[in-house]
Amino acid sequence: MNKALRIGGRRLALLVLGLLLTLCLSTNVLRAQGIWRGNIIPQEIANSRGLVRQWTNQIQIDSGKDRLSSIIIDRGVIFTVTQNGAVQATNAETGVTLWTSTIHAKGKYVQGLAASRYYVGFTCGSVLYIMNRANGRVLLDQEMPSIAANSLVLGEERAYVPAINGVVYIFDLQPMEDPFKEFGISESILSSQDRRDRKEEFIQSLRLMKKYQEPLSIRSIGDLKVAPIVTRCGPRREFVAWPTASSLVTLCQVNISGDSLVDEKYNVPILGECKGALGYLPPAPAQGKNPFKPGVLFAQSTEGFVYAVEETTGKILWRFLAGEDVWDTPVCVEEDLFVATVVSGMFCVDARTGGDGNSTEAKWWSPGIRKFISASKNRVYALDKKGDLVVLDRVSGQRITSLPVNDFAFKMTNQQTDRIYLATETGLLQCLREIAVEDPVDYTANWIAARDEIDDEEQFGTIAKDEDEKSEDDESEDDTLDGDDSDDEFAEEDEFAEEDEEGLSEEDDFGEDDGEGVFEEFGSDEEEEADDENADAEDEDFDF
């Protein structure tokens, strides 16, 4: 009897042990595969983390032969490209597919994806493809002098491609002239609705000028291991910056009016290698008693530092010590800078001072964080070392909750809004948002203004010009007393001085005499339509 009980007890113990082992294995499998089926996050799971699944969308892809290659967000639209060259545009708030297009890569390596106000572009082998952002029609497929080393970047009127030979190639994206202007027909005879219709028609049928010449180029001091960034886009010039393997931060000015020229403005040395793209804080225009604040470039280092470089002068404003390698790009949201280290965690620092606003100490530090994803007004979303989506309090950095997202190969960094975008290799897209935040929190106002609206002649040149004038006044006080017009001399010598507007209006084929560009001229007559109060708002808010 006792023997039978002992045998039965052993069998029961083994059975219980087996059940526990099976449960543990099942839990690990579920964690590795996600706690949902079909890679779609259930609403109840999202709701338990304070989130809502806003939408899902499956991009057009041959799942048996193709995989998603790159995904970006730009001004309310998500753009994706596959390894075989299938491009798709999706509304970032509704998940509705806007258009699809395929260029047939034919086994060539599709690399990078970039978007600007009117264009979408990527490289495939040694070929540059530029597409119409409005409908996906290919506008340019140009052979490059060398194979691209990293992702290209688009300004408003130029494309910048870093090549394996250490050269940044600059391609002109000048559109064909408006037919109405070509035939000498004035828009003043049209109604506001007719002008809006013409603007949409022109953008839908946009074509680029074909120029049979080599693109502009500038050689980098050191290898180009990461993609450049475009910081400012004005009616006369664009600015592009990148780090090099020679521990330098380089900024170049590209003149886009008259004779196209490229000028290297400065090379700022840093300690260690910068393995990620530069971060950027757009300039803040002067408002009331608040003075103009120039843009700031952020460079991370394998020596454990983050550098803040003033865009206008190349001056190092501050240096933050993270204590270990920083590989990922520092991400700036409003004036919070998020710095994720390789091992320990993520810092939040003041982007203007490099500390908490009052000292050199960070605002907060959260352990185990590897990558910034997005931020709302009260929360920060990031990835930890296990690949889970972690929710942090934006003020303190304290962990609130987490969500497994291991099934998603693409967890996109979004510094333009508060939305969270996830995608699988087979092209399943999902958008998550906070339950209470129905309308997206938009952080792009200053960024878009820097690229589209702020006059770089008035804003970008202000600080550099004032400093030059001050130093010149100190050195040549006698000349000033003699009546020399020193301001004219400074205007000639100042590398950021304004160009001759008369020469610009004669040489600029892109727009009218104001140099604003052909796209802007469509909205220029709204001021004459004083009786139509809605014309201005609808034209300025025109989006694709």
Side-chain angles (χ1 to χ4, degrees), residues 75-76 333-334 375 377 415-418 439-448:
R75 307 174 220 215
V333 176
E334 296 179 312
K377 293 298 183 182
Q415 63 185 108
Q416 297 189 20
T417 68
D418 64 309
D439 297 325
V441 181
D442 191 356
Y443 301 113
T444 62
N446 290 338
W447 173 76
I448 291 178

Side-chain angles (χ1 to χ4, degrees), residues 334-385:
E334 296 179 312
E335 292 199 354
D336 285 337
L337 185 70
F338 299 97
V339 178
T341 64
V342 173
V343 177
S344 63
M346 184 172 73
F347 294 93
C348 176
V349 301
D350 186 283
R352 292 290 178 184
T353 66
D356 60 6
N358 299 312
S359 69
T360 58
E361 296 295 326
K363 291 183 177 181
W364 51 259
W365 171 76
S366 183
I369 302 299
R370 294 289 184 271
K371 182 180 179 64
F372 172 90
I373 295 298
S374 68
S376 66
K377 293 298 183 182
N378 300 314
R379 292 184 170 189
V380 174
Y381 300 94
L383 296 180
D384 65 9
K385 59 185 179 182

Side-chain angles (χ1 to χ4, degrees), residues 247 270-275 298-308 318-328 330 337 339-345 347 349 354 360 362 365:
S247 300
I270 61 174
L271 292 176
E273 182 180 350
C274 186
K275 291 192 173 183
F298 302 104
Q300 71 279 17
S301 163
T302 55
E303 293 295 325
F305 291 101
V306 175
Y307 293 84
W318 51 261
R319 185 177 69 172
F320 176 77
L321 177 59
E324 61 181 272
D325 289 7
V326 182
W327 291 1
D328 206 20
L337 185 70
V339 178
T341 64
V342 173
V343 177
S344 63
F347 294 93
V349 301
T360 58
W365 171 76

Side-chain angles (χ1 to χ4, degrees), residues 417-432:
T417 68
D418 64 309
R419 297 329 197 202
I420 303 164
Y421 297 103
L422 309 170
T424 65
E425 287 186 332
T426 54
L428 177 63
L429 306 180
Q430 291 185 66
C431 172
L432 303 176

Side-chain angles (χ1 to χ4, degrees), residues 86 178 207 222 238 449 483:
D178 173 24
R207 293 180 298 163
E238 294 182 351

